[in-house]
Structure formats: structure tokens, C-alpha cells
Amino acid sequence: MNNSSALSTPFTPSTSPTRWYDGLAQYQQHGIAHVLATVIAVNGSAPRELQSKIIVTLDACCDTLGGGSLEHDVTITARQLLNGEINATDARSTQPLKEGKSAKAQAVRRDAVYTKHYPLGATLAQCCGGSVTVMFECFNVTPPMSLLVFGAGHVAAALMTILAELPCQVEWIDSRPEMFERYLTHNVDTVDGQVTYQLPTHIRPHIDEDPVDFIQPFIAKSIKSASINASMKKGTQYFILVMTHDHSLDFDLVRATLDAYLKIDTDANNAISTNDSRLQSMPYIGCISSATKAKRFRDRLLQRDYSEQIVDKLTMPIGLNTGGKEPMAVAISIAAQVMQLYNNL
């Protein structure tokens, strides 16, 4: 049985990659914010040749531009870009971002390609004596999608094929061990008998008889990040997708999601209004269903005194109406809806 405490912290690689291309692939796959810094011009003697690259995250570096003062400044500059601390509107500017600039303006600047010229002798006191120009490219500045998927049936399996190719974090839960057997890695060298799966590392299966336990930590993360998303006018980052084999379990998961949201950071005597910021921070809640099942769920929730504005946050049937009923067709409609909301379209 897996523990839902894994939801409390985002994925972090156990070791930093050595080469820039390995780092680029890993950080792209896991949606970790990073900068690709490339030497795009060389004059005279320089520590590294043209097109040398380094990857910089907020807490790690991958590969090298030759070390010394040049690499030190490149690292600092990259992290300033990730934090929105540099005005990159003018590619020649190295001035800090002026006080009062909005988070949205910071994000726009971080999305731009930024270049910086380094006279190695005059500015950095490096004995090479030449000069280089470095281009900084920011990736994954916007937090990746985070999905909590309940059920490992045909539609969910098809959906994982799509999510495997996207920068996102996925917790995939089912109570039936046999549903994940097709993904098992049969490796005699497995350490301490730990089960591993033939899935991208950003998709993490969990076998749990009480999947409701995963909901509250996920809702808490959603609320914590709500202020950031609101200031940057970003779309939905957190998604709860309910598609188990059991209608009763589906209802319990939907209800537990609404209950967890109402309990976290909410005074029991203080009603939530439609304009409440906490209501806006609620993750997308989608449940696979027919029209009949959707009506039944809605009626049952209203009978249990859930407010209309809260019940309206439940998306049933899940996904865009594309007309297809095959598992992959339904998975595509779900992925399309998730991407639409994530990109605020």
C-alpha cells in the first residue's frame, strides 16, 4: 500500500545530470523550471568553444561553461531570470526589475530570450582576455500541470499514454494491484524488493484501498499555489480526475473532494461566496459519466446541502464533447479539456 504523503512535495531528481542534454530532457519531462545558457559568440580566447551549454535550475547546475567568474555570473543571471528579478525587455540590459512590476510582467520577461555580453578580462578579470556572448532561454517557468487520477481502467490507461508526453506530475491511484501489472518491471536486481514500473517517472502509480486519503494533501497544494496563479493570470494547474470502476466510489471521491476543500482554511461558520478567492483556487474536478449518472450525482449532492456554486465546480461528463466513445477518443477529449483549462483558453 502506498502512502499519500508523497503528494506533499514535488518531484526532485535524486542526482543532477552531468551533461546539459540529459538535464534538458529530465527537467523538461518533470516540468522543473530551468535555463539553458548557450555561448553564441566568441571573440579571442575563451574558456569554452562556441555553442557550449549549461543548464541552471534554482538549486542545481548541469554541465559547464568552463567554470570561474564567467560560469558564476551566468549561474547568478539565470537564477535572477527564473525569479523574475531581471528586466529582459532590452537584451542588453542587466538592470534589476523595477519595484512594483507585476508578476505577469515578470513572467513575460522570463519568456523572452535574454543575451548578455562578457568581456572576460575587463569585467570578470579572467586571464583568457577574450569575450563571449551568452544566450539565456527560460523553460517551465509556469508550474506544470498536477493531476490526481483515480482509476486505472481503459480510459485512464489511454490517458497515461498522452500524459507521458507532457510536462506534468501525475499521481495515479487504484485499489486493484492487477490493474498495474502490465506496467511492472521484472528486474531481479530490484533493490529491497521495491516495485518499479515501466512508466515515465512523472507518472507515479499507487495501490491503495482507501484512495480518499490522497485528496486532502492535493487540495492543500492547490490552495497554497492559488495566489501565484491568480497574480500571473494563469489557468488551472491542479486537476482531479475520477474514473474508477465503481460508481459508489466515484461519488465518495467527488464528495470527499468537496468536503476537503470546504474544511481547509475555511471557518465553519463562514459561508463561501461565489467570488471567494478560495473558490477560485479549487482544482478542476472531473468525473467520467453518462448524462444520467451526472444528474444523479448532482441531485444527491444538492440533497446533502452542498451549495449550487460548489456543485457547479464538478465537471460531469468529463472532457470535451468530441463524439468518440473509444477509450483513446475519451482520453483525448479529457486531455484536451485539461490543456484548455491549463492554458486559460
Side-chain angles (χ1 to χ4, degrees):
M1 184 178 295
N2 288 34
N3 194 316
S4 60
S5 63
L7 296 182
S8 60
T9 55
F11 169 84
T12 52
S14 55
T15 57
S16 296
T18 302
R19 303 307 300 270
W20 68 267
Y21 43 80
D22 292 326
L24 186 63
Q26 181 169 285
Y27 299 139
Q28 289 278 12
Q29 183 183 48
H30 295 292
I32 297 172
H34 59 284
V35 170
L36 173 62
T38 306
V39 175
I40 59 171
V42 174
N43 249 331
S45 179
R48 290 292 305 274
E49 64 277 5
L50 193 67
Q51 297 184 346
S52 296
K53 303 176 191 295
I54 187 173
I55 301 284
V56 182
T57 70
L58 288 173
D59 54 13
C61 291
C62 173
D63 223 315
T64 179
L65 292 185
S69 299
L70 171 63
E71 188 167 306
H72 179 68
D73 190 272
V74 166
T75 302
I76 291 175
T77 301
R79 287 174 179 157
Q80 287 175 326
L81 283 167
L82 288 176
N83 288 320
E85 298 172 2
I86 291 180
N87 185 344
T89 303
D90 181 347
R92 296 166 296 177
S93 171
T94 58
Q95 297 178 353
L97 189 68
K98 292 182 180 179
E99 187 176 352
K101 292 293 183 181
S102 68
K104 183 180 180 182
Q106 292 181 8
V108 169
R109 289 183 171 85
R110 288 183 292 176
D111 288 343
V113 172
Y114 178 77
T115 60
K116 188 171 181 180
H117 183 67
Y118 292 93
L120 298 176
T123 303
L124 299 178
Q126 290 197 203
C127 59
C128 302
S131 66
V132 300
T133 302
V134 178
M135 177 177 69
F136 299 81
E137 298 173 89
C138 293
F139 296 92
N140 297 339
V141 175
T142 302
M145 296 182 294
S146 186
L147 299 99
L148 186 59
V149 181
F150 294 103
H154 297 298
V155 173
L159 180 63
M160 294 305 149
T161 302
I162 300 172
L163 296 178
E165 302 298 325
L166 296 174
C168 57
Q169 299 294 315
V170 184
E171 308 295 340
W172 190 15
I173 303 101
D174 201 295
S175 61
R176 303 165 294 172
E178 65 271 17
M179 301 308 291
F180 295 119
E181 283 182 358
R182 75 182 89 170
Y183 304 107
L184 281 175
T185 299
H186 300 287
N187 187 349
V188 294
D189 296 325
T190 300
V191 178
D192 297 329
Q194 184 177 357
V195 176
T196 58
Y197 296 95
Q198 293 176 333
L199 285 165
T201 52
H202 67 280
I203 298 178
R204 295 183 286 273
H206 302 266
I207 301 168
D208 202 307
E209 295 176 358
D210 194 7
V212 170
D213 290 343
F214 286 81
I215 291 174
Q216 188 164 331
F218 193 81
I219 297 284
K221 286 173 60 182
S222 173
I223 292 175
K224 184 176 180 180
S225 68
S227 59
I228 299 173
N229 286 344
S231 64
M232 295 177 67
K233 301 189 183 305
K234 297 295 181 182
T236 305
Q237 180 189 346
Y238 289 87
F239 299 84
I240 297 176
L241 310 180
V242 179
M243 50 182 77
T244 78
H245 61 294
D246 186 336
H247 286 201
S248 296
L249 179 56
D250 283 353
F251 185 79
D252 289 343
L253 289 166
V254 167
R255 190 176 179 187
T257 299
L258 300 181
D259 288 344
Y261 174 73
L262 291 170
K263 288 177 182 178
I264 293 177
D265 196 33
T266 303
D267 189 293
N269 298 316
N270 182 23
I272 295 181
S273 69
T274 304
N275 295 323
D276 194 300
S277 62
R278 290 166 296 178
L279 189 60
Q280 304 307 318
S281 73
M282 193 172 186
Y284 167 97
I285 307 171
C287 183
I288 197 166
S289 73
S290 62
T292 302
K293 178 181 174 182
K295 184 179 185 306
R296 185 181 298 119
F297 272 39
R298 180 178 177 84
D299 290 345
R300 290 176 66 188
L301 289 167
L302 291 174
Q303 288 168 6
R304 286 164 173 76
D305 296 326
Y306 290 91
S307 66
E308 291 240 4
Q309 61 264 37
I310 291 295
V311 175
D312 285 344
K313 289 292 182 179
L314 173 61
T315 299
M316 290 183 71
I318 195 172
L320 302 179
N321 184 8
T322 60
K325 293 187 177 181
E326 301 84 357
M328 182 54 77
V330 177
I332 289 171
S333 76
I334 295 171
Q337 187 172 63
V338 166
M339 291 298 297
Q340 189 180 68
L341 293 169
Y342 175 69
N343 290 307
N344 203 20
L345 300 177

